[in-house]
């Protein structure tokens, strides 16, 4: 393909948990409104729209109590981690899930599907049965230590995983977590959910940016494919990139998810909207991640097509944030305290 670096997309069907199954169907398609119109509230109204409350949280290296050999070093030390510590941490996570009361709860840095089952079973046994998460899915790269999971009160279908393989051309390619694409069905409406956990900045922000650009390009193309079909799309996850470092597309809060061509990032791509910018184009406070005395907004929701975010916040409530500061209460394995080094972000999306 001339000088163009080839991107190999590997599609895999992965773990899909459904305690019960339900069907879903599409409403009749109508004409589209522009992204800017939907931001200003002047787009068309659909008679059969639905709403979902969606939470996204990087739960910070949430391993189970069984040693597989893939755990991070601090979880392998004798006496630092085990069944008791895992159970306590599981209870804390479920405490936050119940407090946020989202219809769909997305998590990054979950070790395996067993943890997802433990969360689901714990909530099913101790919570209002009308709010039980009857559907769930999980995915991670083969041989990876951590992956992403989704719990939902509404049926999940069409789970696909998109992985990127550059290793034939790039011997220095790090392990990169795949993009999860799935459909959440409520009534007669379908929301396409895309779950991301981009390459971390470990090794230096500038040195690792090229890999996040690759992941951005894959996401851009997949969002574009869904928009061409008239779908409602919500992207979420830990992007390890502050919202201010994405390319903006004008003065309406538009973000451009860019594609790669000939190995370089272009200024074109698909237009999405970020709720980190309010209607005055000011950033919502606080951020979701606090490092070296500064807030950043690396956890994202992007919405496009027939989706519209009507409410958004970084949930800085106690006990998972520090009293009076809103700083996330990081989990510390040595004494078992804390929750996560990220705040959950929450939105209400109509589609």
């Amino acid at each position: 393909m001339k000088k163009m670096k080839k991107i190999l997309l590997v599609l895999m069907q992965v773990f899909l948990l459904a305690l019960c199954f339900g069907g879903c169907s599409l409403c009749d398609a109508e004409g589209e409104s522009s992204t800017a119109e939907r931001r200003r509230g002047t787009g068309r109204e659909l008679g059969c729209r639905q709403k979902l409350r969606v939470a996204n949280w990087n739960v910070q290296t949430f391993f189970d109590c069984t040693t597989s050999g893939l755990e991070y070093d601090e979880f392998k030390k004798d006496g630092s981690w085990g069944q008791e510590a895992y159970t306590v941490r599981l209870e804390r996570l479920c405490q936050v899930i119940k407090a946020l009361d989202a219809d769909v709860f997305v998590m990054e840095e979950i070790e395996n599907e067993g943890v997802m089952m433990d969360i689901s079973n714990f909530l099913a046994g101790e919570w209002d049965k009308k709010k039980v998460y009857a559907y769930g899915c999980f995915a991670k790269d083969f041989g990876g230590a951590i992956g992403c999971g989704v719990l939902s009160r509404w049926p999940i279908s069409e789970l696909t995983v998109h992985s990127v393989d550059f290793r034939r051309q790039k011997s220095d390619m790090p392990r990169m977590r795949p993009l999860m694409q799935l459909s959440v069905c409520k009534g007669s409406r379908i929301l396409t959910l895309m779950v991301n956990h981009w390459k971390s900045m470990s090794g230096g922000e500038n040195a690792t940016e090229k890999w996040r650009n690759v992941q951005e390009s894959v996401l851009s193309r997949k969002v574009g494919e869904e928009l061409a079909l008239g779908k409602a799309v919500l992207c979420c996850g830990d992007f390890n990139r502050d919202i201010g470092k994405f390319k903006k597309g004008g003065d309406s809060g538009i973000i451009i998810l860019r594609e790669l061509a000939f190995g370089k990032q272009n200024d074109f791509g698909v237009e999405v909207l970020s709720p980190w910018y309010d209607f005055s184009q000011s950033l919502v406070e606080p951020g979701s991640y606090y490092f070296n005395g500064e807030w950043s907004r690396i956890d994202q929701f992007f919405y496009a097509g027939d989706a519209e975010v009507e409410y958004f916040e970084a949930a800085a409530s106690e006990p998972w944030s520090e009293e009076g500061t809103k700083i996330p209460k990081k989990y510390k394995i040595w004494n078992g305290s804390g929750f996560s080094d990220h705040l959950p972000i929450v939105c209400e999306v109509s589609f």
Side-chain angles (χ1 to χ4, degrees), residues 35-36 39-40 243-258 267-274 277 281 302:
T35 306
R39 183 69 174 188
R40 294 192 297 269
I243 188 61
K245 296 190 176 181
F246 284 88
K247 180 175 176 57
K248 293 193 69 176
D251 59 359
S252 300
I254 297 172
I255 299 295
I256 298 177
L257 295 176
R258 295 182 284 181
D267 285 338
F268 59 82
V270 298
E271 291 186 353
V272 295
L273 289 163
S274 169
Y277 294 102
Q281 293 304 292
F302 293 125

mmCIF file of all heavy atoms in Angstrom, residues 35-36 39-40 243-258 267-274 277 281 302:
data_model
loop_
_atom_site.group_PDB
_atom_site.id
_atom_site.type_symbol
_atom_site.label_atom_id
_atom_site.label_comp_id
_atom_site.label_asym_id
_atom_site.label_seq_id
_atom_site.Cartn_x
_atom_site.Cartn_y
_atom_site.Cartn_z
ATOM 1 N N THR A 35 -24.352 18.668 14.062
ATOM 2 C CA THR A 35 -23.824 18.587 15.425
ATOM 3 C C THR A 35 -24.013 19.903 16.152
ATOM 4 O O THR A 35 -24.394 19.938 17.320
ATOM 5 C CB THR A 35 -22.325 18.233 15.374
ATOM 6 O OG1 THR A 35 -22.154 17.053 14.601
ATOM 7 C CG2 THR A 35 -21.782 17.993 16.768
ATOM 8 N N ALA A 36 -23.750 21.010 15.471
ATOM 9 C CA ALA A 36 -23.897 22.320 16.104
ATOM 10 C C ALA A 36 -25.352 22.594 16.464
ATOM 11 O O ALA A 36 -25.651 23.169 17.509
ATOM 12 C CB ALA A 36 -23.367 23.413 15.171
ATOM 13 N N ARG A 39 -26.209 20.863 19.604
ATOM 14 C CA ARG A 39 -25.597 21.531 20.741
ATOM 15 C C ARG A 39 -26.422 22.732 21.173
ATOM 16 O O ARG A 39 -26.567 22.993 22.356
ATOM 17 C CB ARG A 39 -24.176 21.993 20.357
ATOM 18 C CG ARG A 39 -23.409 22.651 21.479
ATOM 19 C CD ARG A 39 -23.050 21.642 22.550
ATOM 20 N NE ARG A 39 -22.197 22.234 23.568
ATOM 21 C CZ ARG A 39 -21.613 21.550 24.524
ATOM 22 N NH1 ARG A 39 -21.775 20.255 24.597
ATOM 23 N NH2 ARG A 39 -20.865 22.148 25.429
ATOM 24 N N ARG A 40 -26.992 23.450 20.222
ATOM 25 C CA ARG A 40 -27.776 24.640 20.544
ATOM 26 C C ARG A 40 -29.219 24.301 20.899
ATOM 27 O O ARG A 40 -30.006 25.162 21.258
ATOM 28 C CB ARG A 40 -27.760 25.605 19.350
ATOM 29 C CG ARG A 40 -26.387 26.197 19.056
ATOM 30 C CD ARG A 40 -26.525 27.337 18.080
ATOM 31 N NE ARG A 40 -27.053 26.905 16.796
ATOM 32 C CZ ARG A 40 -26.301 26.521 15.767
ATOM 33 N NH1 ARG A 40 -24.996 26.493 15.900
ATOM 34 N NH2 ARG A 40 -26.850 26.152 14.631
ATOM 35 N N ILE A 243 -8.834 16.897 27.711
ATOM 36 C CA ILE A 243 -9.779 17.364 26.699
ATOM 37 C C ILE A 243 -9.226 18.556 25.915
ATOM 38 O O ILE A 243 -9.506 18.721 24.733
ATOM 39 C CB ILE A 243 -11.141 17.735 27.356
ATOM 40 C CG1 ILE A 243 -12.188 18.038 26.283
ATOM 41 C CG2 ILE A 243 -10.995 18.889 28.330
ATOM 42 C CD1 ILE A 243 -12.478 16.887 25.353
ATOM 43 N N GLY A 244 -8.393 19.377 26.549
ATOM 44 C CA GLY A 244 -7.821 20.533 25.873
ATOM 45 C C GLY A 244 -6.812 20.187 24.797
ATOM 46 O O GLY A 244 -6.416 21.055 24.015
ATOM 47 N N LYS A 245 -6.397 18.909 24.720
ATOM 48 C CA LYS A 245 -5.403 18.498 23.733
ATOM 49 C C LYS A 245 -6.020 17.789 22.534
ATOM 50 O O LYS A 245 -5.295 17.328 21.643
ATOM 51 C CB LYS A 245 -4.330 17.643 24.399
ATOM 52 C CG LYS A 245 -3.555 18.443 25.443
ATOM 53 C CD LYS A 245 -2.333 17.724 25.948
ATOM 54 C CE LYS A 245 -1.552 18.631 26.910
ATOM 55 N NZ LYS A 245 -0.331 17.986 27.425
ATOM 56 N N PHE A 246 -7.340 17.697 22.514
ATOM 57 C CA PHE A 246 -8.011 17.236 21.302
ATOM 58 C C PHE A 246 -8.225 18.427 20.377
ATOM 59 O O PHE A 246 -8.305 19.574 20.826
ATOM 60 C CB PHE A 246 -9.368 16.616 21.641
ATOM 61 C CG PHE A 246 -9.290 15.240 22.245
ATOM 62 C CD1 PHE A 246 -9.149 15.086 23.621
ATOM 63 C CD2 PHE A 246 -9.350 14.109 21.451
ATOM 64 C CE1 PHE A 246 -9.085 13.822 24.186
ATOM 65 C CE2 PHE A 246 -9.280 12.846 21.999
ATOM 66 C CZ PHE A 246 -9.149 12.699 23.378
ATOM 67 N N LYS A 247 -8.333 18.157 19.096
ATOM 68 C CA LYS A 247 -8.552 19.237 18.135
ATOM 69 C C LYS A 247 -9.982 19.735 18.231
ATOM 70 O O LYS A 247 -10.943 18.961 18.161
ATOM 71 C CB LYS A 247 -8.266 18.771 16.708
ATOM 72 C CG LYS A 247 -8.491 19.874 15.676
ATOM 73 C CD LYS A 247 -8.092 19.442 14.289
ATOM 74 C CE LYS A 247 -8.415 20.535 13.269
ATOM 75 N NZ LYS A 247 -7.764 21.814 13.582
ATOM 76 N N LYS A 248 -10.128 21.050 18.402
ATOM 77 C CA LYS A 248 -11.460 21.649 18.450
ATOM 78 C C LYS A 248 -11.899 22.042 17.047
ATOM 79 O O LYS A 248 -11.094 22.392 16.203
ATOM 80 C CB LYS A 248 -11.469 22.872 19.369
ATOM 81 C CG LYS A 248 -11.243 22.550 20.847
ATOM 82 C CD LYS A 248 -11.563 23.723 21.751
ATOM 83 C CE LYS A 248 -13.039 24.018 21.780
ATOM 84 N NZ LYS A 248 -13.400 25.098 22.736
ATOM 85 N N GLY A 249 -13.213 22.008 16.849
ATOM 86 C CA GLY A 249 -13.748 22.299 15.522
ATOM 87 C C GLY A 249 -14.684 23.481 15.520
ATOM 88 O O GLY A 249 -15.836 23.343 15.145
ATOM 89 N N GLY A 250 -14.233 24.635 15.976
ATOM 90 C CA GLY A 250 -15.080 25.816 15.975
ATOM 91 C C GLY A 250 -15.458 26.229 17.386
ATOM 92 O O GLY A 250 -14.828 25.828 18.361
ATOM 93 N N ASP A 251 -16.516 27.025 17.491
ATOM 94 C CA ASP A 251 -16.879 27.614 18.772
ATOM 95 C C ASP A 251 -18.125 26.985 19.380
ATOM 96 O O ASP A 251 -18.760 27.567 20.244
ATOM 97 C CB ASP A 251 -17.090 29.120 18.623
ATOM 98 C CG ASP A 251 -18.184 29.449 17.610
ATOM 99 O OD1 ASP A 251 -18.754 28.522 17.021
ATOM 100 O OD2 ASP A 251 -18.456 30.650 17.424
ATOM 101 N N SER A 252 -18.508 25.800 18.957
ATOM 102 C CA SER A 252 -19.721 25.174 19.462
ATOM 103 C C SER A 252 -19.432 23.954 20.324
ATOM 104 O O SER A 252 -20.281 23.095 20.496
ATOM 105 C CB SER A 252 -20.626 24.753 18.287
ATOM 106 O OG SER A 252 -20.993 25.875 17.522
ATOM 107 N N GLY A 253 -18.223 23.853 20.867
ATOM 108 C CA GLY A 253 -17.864 22.708 21.692
ATOM 109 C C GLY A 253 -17.593 21.453 20.893
ATOM 110 O O GLY A 253 -17.601 20.345 21.428
ATOM 111 N N ILE A 254 -17.352 21.604 19.609
ATOM 112 C CA ILE A 254 -17.118 20.446 18.748
ATOM 113 C C ILE A 254 -15.670 19.980 18.870
ATOM 114 O O ILE A 254 -14.737 20.773 18.873
ATOM 115 C CB ILE A 254 -17.431 20.784 17.282
ATOM 116 C CG1 ILE A 254 -18.910 21.136 17.126
ATOM 117 C CG2 ILE A 254 -17.055 19.630 16.355
ATOM 118 C CD1 ILE A 254 -19.270 21.672 15.758
ATOM 119 N N ILE A 255 -15.492 18.669 18.970
ATOM 120 C CA ILE A 255 -14.183 18.026 18.952
ATOM 121 C C ILE A 255 -14.079 17.196 17.679
ATOM 122 O O ILE A 255 -15.041 16.535 17.277
ATOM 123 C CB ILE A 255 -14.004 17.109 20.183
ATOM 124 C CG1 ILE A 255 -14.100 17.915 21.481
ATOM 125 C CG2 ILE A 255 -12.687 16.344 20.111
ATOM 126 C CD1 ILE A 255 -12.998 18.924 21.683
ATOM 127 N N ILE A 256 -12.916 17.215 17.047
ATOM 128 C CA ILE A 256 -12.696 16.402 15.855
ATOM 129 C C ILE A 256 -11.814 15.220 16.229
ATOM 130 O O ILE A 256 -10.654 15.399 16.648
ATOM 131 C CB ILE A 256 -12.045 17.220 14.725
ATOM 132 C CG1 ILE A 256 -12.964 18.374 14.308
ATOM 133 C CG2 ILE A 256 -11.748 16.319 13.526
ATOM 134 C CD1 ILE A 256 -12.376 19.276 13.252
ATOM 135 N N LEU A 257 -12.364 14.018 16.110
ATOM 136 C CA LEU A 257 -11.575 12.804 16.271
ATOM 137 C C LEU A 257 -10.889 12.533 14.942
ATOM 138 O O LEU A 257 -11.544 12.251 13.940
ATOM 139 C CB LEU A 257 -12.470 11.625 16.672
ATOM 140 C CG LEU A 257 -13.162 11.730 18.047
ATOM 141 C CD1 LEU A 257 -14.091 10.549 18.262
ATOM 142 C CD2 LEU A 257 -12.136 11.828 19.168
ATOM 143 N N ARG A 258 -9.567 12.638 14.940
ATOM 144 C CA ARG A 258 -8.830 12.639 13.686
ATOM 145 C C ARG A 258 -8.360 11.250 13.269
ATOM 146 O O ARG A 258 -8.140 10.376 14.095
ATOM 147 C CB ARG A 258 -7.628 13.590 13.790
ATOM 148 C CG ARG A 258 -8.059 15.037 13.961
ATOM 149 C CD ARG A 258 -6.872 15.972 14.015
ATOM 150 N NE ARG A 258 -6.194 15.928 15.302
ATOM 151 C CZ ARG A 258 -5.126 16.667 15.606
ATOM 152 N NH1 ARG A 258 -4.613 17.470 14.693
ATOM 153 N NH2 ARG A 258 -4.574 16.593 16.787
ATOM 154 N N ASP A 267 -6.048 16.779 9.940
ATOM 155 C CA ASP A 267 -6.957 17.681 10.630
ATOM 156 C C ASP A 267 -8.415 17.338 10.352
ATOM 157 O O ASP A 267 -9.314 18.041 10.800
ATOM 158 C CB ASP A 267 -6.683 19.132 10.226
ATOM 159 C CG ASP A 267 -5.417 19.675 10.865
ATOM 160 O OD1 ASP A 267 -5.010 19.123 11.903
ATOM 161 O OD2 ASP A 267 -4.843 20.635 10.325
ATOM 162 N N PHE A 268 -8.653 16.271 9.589
ATOM 163 C CA PHE A 268 -10.031 15.892 9.313
ATOM 164 C C PHE A 268 -10.371 14.619 10.097
ATOM 165 O O PHE A 268 -9.510 13.900 10.575
ATOM 166 C CB PHE A 268 -10.274 15.680 7.826
ATOM 167 C CG PHE A 268 -9.400 14.618 7.199
ATOM 168 C CD1 PHE A 268 -9.732 13.279 7.304
ATOM 169 C CD2 PHE A 268 -8.241 14.970 6.509
ATOM 170 C CE1 PHE A 268 -8.933 12.301 6.735
ATOM 171 C CE2 PHE A 268 -7.441 13.999 5.935
ATOM 172 C CZ PHE A 268 -7.785 12.663 6.049
ATOM 173 N N GLY A 269 -11.654 14.369 10.215
ATOM 174 C CA GLY A 269 -12.147 13.202 10.941
ATOM 175 C C GLY A 269 -13.626 13.375 11.202
ATOM 176 O O GLY A 269 -14.324 14.038 10.436
ATOM 177 N N VAL A 270 -14.128 12.806 12.286
ATOM 178 C CA VAL A 270 -15.546 12.929 12.602
ATOM 179 C C VAL A 270 -15.740 13.951 13.723
ATOM 180 O O VAL A 270 -14.907 14.090 14.610
ATOM 181 C CB VAL A 270 -16.165 11.578 13.012
ATOM 182 C CG1 VAL A 270 -16.090 10.580 11.878
ATOM 183 C CG2 VAL A 270 -15.509 11.018 14.258
ATOM 184 N N GLU A 271 -16.859 14.655 13.648
ATOM 185 C CA GLU A 271 -17.188 15.644 14.665
ATOM 186 C C GLU A 271 -18.000 14.999 15.780
ATOM 187 O O GLU A 271 -18.971 14.282 15.525
ATOM 188 C CB GLU A 271 -17.996 16.795 14.055
ATOM 189 C CG GLU A 271 -17.203 17.671 13.107
ATOM 190 C CD GLU A 271 -18.005 18.872 12.639
ATOM 191 O OE1 GLU A 271 -19.219 18.950 12.956
ATOM 192 O OE2 GLU A 271 -17.420 19.735 11.957
ATOM 193 N N VAL A 272 -17.572 15.246 17.017
ATOM 194 C CA VAL A 272 -18.293 14.803 18.199
ATOM 195 C C VAL A 272 -18.384 15.979 19.154
ATOM 196 O O VAL A 272 -17.770 17.026 18.934
ATOM 197 C CB VAL A 272 -17.590 13.600 18.869
ATOM 198 C CG1 VAL A 272 -17.592 12.382 17.964
ATOM 199 C CG2 VAL A 272 -16.159 13.971 19.278
ATOM 200 N N LEU A 273 -19.141 15.818 20.213
ATOM 201 C CA LEU A 273 -19.275 16.864 21.225
ATOM 202 C C LEU A 273 -18.786 16.351 22.566
ATOM 203 O O LEU A 273 -18.935 15.166 22.881
ATOM 204 C CB LEU A 273 -20.729 17.322 21.339
ATOM 205 C CG LEU A 273 -21.248 18.132 20.151
ATOM 206 C CD1 LEU A 273 -22.760 18.165 20.156
ATOM 207 C CD2 LEU A 273 -20.680 19.543 20.176
ATOM 208 N N SER A 274 -18.201 17.245 23.365
ATOM 209 C CA SER A 274 -17.725 16.900 24.701
ATOM 210 C C SER A 274 -18.488 17.685 25.754
ATOM 211 O O SER A 274 -18.550 18.917 25.685
ATOM 212 C CB SER A 274 -16.234 17.199 24.841
ATOM 213 O OG SER A 274 -15.843 17.100 26.210
ATOM 214 N N TYR A 277 -17.156 20.902 28.069
ATOM 215 C CA TYR A 277 -17.378 22.311 27.754
ATOM 216 C C TYR A 277 -18.851 22.634 27.961
ATOM 217 O O TYR A 277 -19.720 21.989 27.379
ATOM 218 C CB TYR A 277 -16.983 22.611 26.303
ATOM 219 C CG TYR A 277 -15.506 22.465 26.036
ATOM 220 C CD1 TYR A 277 -15.007 21.327 25.400
ATOM 221 C CD2 TYR A 277 -14.597 23.457 26.412
ATOM 222 C CE1 TYR A 277 -13.649 21.184 25.155
ATOM 223 C CE2 TYR A 277 -13.238 23.316 26.169
ATOM 224 C CZ TYR A 277 -12.770 22.172 25.544
ATOM 225 O OH TYR A 277 -11.427 22.030 25.307
ATOM 226 N N GLN A 281 -18.666 27.650 26.833
ATOM 227 C CA GLN A 281 -17.360 27.158 26.438
ATOM 228 C C GLN A 281 -16.343 27.172 27.587
ATOM 229 O O GLN A 281 -15.146 27.126 27.369
ATOM 230 C CB GLN A 281 -16.802 27.917 25.227
ATOM 231 C CG GLN A 281 -17.581 27.675 23.943
ATOM 232 C CD GLN A 281 -17.669 26.179 23.620
ATOM 233 O OE1 GLN A 281 -16.672 25.546 23.298
ATOM 234 N NE2 GLN A 281 -18.860 25.610 23.746
ATOM 235 N N PHE A 302 -17.816 11.402 24.667
ATOM 236 C CA PHE A 302 -18.031 12.082 23.396
ATOM 237 C C PHE A 302 -19.353 11.568 22.835
ATOM 238 O O PHE A 302 -19.601 10.367 22.848
ATOM 239 C CB PHE A 302 -16.907 11.781 22.394
ATOM 240 C CG PHE A 302 -15.562 12.339 22.780
ATOM 241 C CD1 PHE A 302 -14.455 11.504 22.876
ATOM 242 C CD2 PHE A 302 -15.398 13.694 23.037
ATOM 243 C CE1 PHE A 302 -13.206 12.014 23.225
ATOM 244 C CE2 PHE A 302 -14.159 14.214 23.389
ATOM 245 C CZ PHE A 302 -13.060 13.369 23.483
#
